[in-house]
Amino acid sequence: MISTIRTIILVIAITAFSTLSVNAQDATMWKVDKAHTSVNFSINHFFTAVTGKFKDFEGNIHFDPNNLTGSKADFSVAINSVNTDDAKRDKHLQSADFFDAKTYNKMTFTSTKFEKKSDKEYLIYGKLTIKDQTKAVVLPLKITGEMEHPMMKNTLILGVVIDTTIDRTDYGVGTGDWAATMVVGDEVKIHIPMELNRKK
């Protein structure tokens, strides 16, 4: 009887360990198609929204709805790639009045956890670093579509979008200067549509 109980306990332990090992494995890696991905933002100048984007960015995303424990993402954005269709404004944004690109040349995001909200919606918990400030954030990720690539064999396409809002003053961007503080809004809307692909 004792031997049987020990055997059952051993089987349960092995099963649990096997499950943990599977969950610990990284989820499927998706490649970011930079030609069909953009990092966009919008912020008010007085009462009017001014839009822009960062043209230089890198990202890695491992994502599997059936393996959220192994899902992870990290991104970096080059500050000097900011583009608001106004060279003078772009130079000012790169200056010490705002991002101080000479000292802090990148902003980064590293995930800590993925959470499911629905079949098409997920939350990515992580750390966002801008300048010398790192804050915990939650990025809502929405799946916009998935299909086989019509022009690339054995390749899947996944469309996702991230829409969120941050307060620039939390990161010391544009604080301390009267014009930056009073003329420019605090709330920054972020819109990142991404096209991802991977081999089947």
Side-chain angles (χ1 to χ4, degrees):
M1 182 65 178
I2 293 175
S3 177
T4 302
I5 292 173
R6 285 176 177 173
T7 301
I8 293 173
I9 292 173
L10 180 61
V11 170
I12 292 173
I14 291 173
T15 302
F17 179 77
S18 299
T19 302
L20 288 172
S21 297
V22 170
N23 288 338
Q25 294 178 354
D26 285 348
T28 303
M29 182 174 179
W30 293 83
K31 180 180 178 182
V32 178
D33 184 344
K34 295 178 69 173
H36 302 101
T37 297
S38 57
V39 179
N40 310 288
F41 65 88
S42 172
I43 187 169
N44 276 2
H45 180 269
F46 288 119
F47 310 111
T48 305
V50 174
T51 60
K53 65 172 59 178
F54 290 91
K55 300 179 72 174
D56 186 7
F57 55 88
E58 298 290 339
N60 294 298
I61 182 164
H62 295 255
F63 175 66
D64 183 347
N66 298 314
N67 183 14
L68 293 183
T69 302
S71 295
K72 60 183 182 179
D74 61 84
F75 293 90
S76 66
V77 177
I79 299 300
N80 63 6
S81 71
V82 66
N83 185 345
T84 63
D85 291 325
D86 186 300
K88 183 178 179 180
R89 180 168 56 214
D90 295 344
K91 187 175 180 180
H92 192 199
L93 288 173
Q94 294 174 45
S95 76
D97 285 346
F98 287 91
F99 284 103
D100 193 3
K102 287 185 178 180
T103 306
Y104 310 103
N105 62 344
K106 290 183 179 181
M107 68 175 84
T108 62
F109 172 80
T110 303
S111 70
T112 56
K113 182 179 73 170
F114 274 64
E115 181 181 295
K116 183 177 181 178
K117 284 187 67 180
S118 70
D119 288 342
K120 298 293 184 181
E121 296 177 304
Y122 296 83
L123 298 176
I124 309 176
Y125 293 77
K127 302 289 186 179
L128 175 63
T129 300
I130 303 176
K131 297 181 76 172
D132 58 347
Q133 298 294 317
T134 299
K135 305 289 183 182
V137 297
V138 182
L139 304 181
L141 180 145
K142 182 178 181 179
I143 295 176
T144 55
E146 183 175 3
M147 63 180 287
E148 291 193 18
H149 201 299
M151 295 169 286
M152 296 174 64
K153 276 190 175 183
N154 300 317
T155 301
L156 294 177
I157 300 173
L158 180 68
V160 301
V161 63
I162 292 172
D163 283 297
T164 193
T165 301
I166 64 171
D167 186 328
R168 65 180 176 85
T169 64
D170 288 343
Y171 301 89
V173 177
T175 56
D177 176 75
W178 179 87
T181 302
M182 302 301 294
V183 173
V184 182
D186 294 345
E187 186 178 86
V188 183
K189 296 179 180 178
I190 299 170
H191 176 64
I192 309 175
M194 291 189 287
E195 186 171 299
L196 312 175
N197 62 69
R198 70 171 178 85
K199 292 296 182 182
K200 294 174 63 177

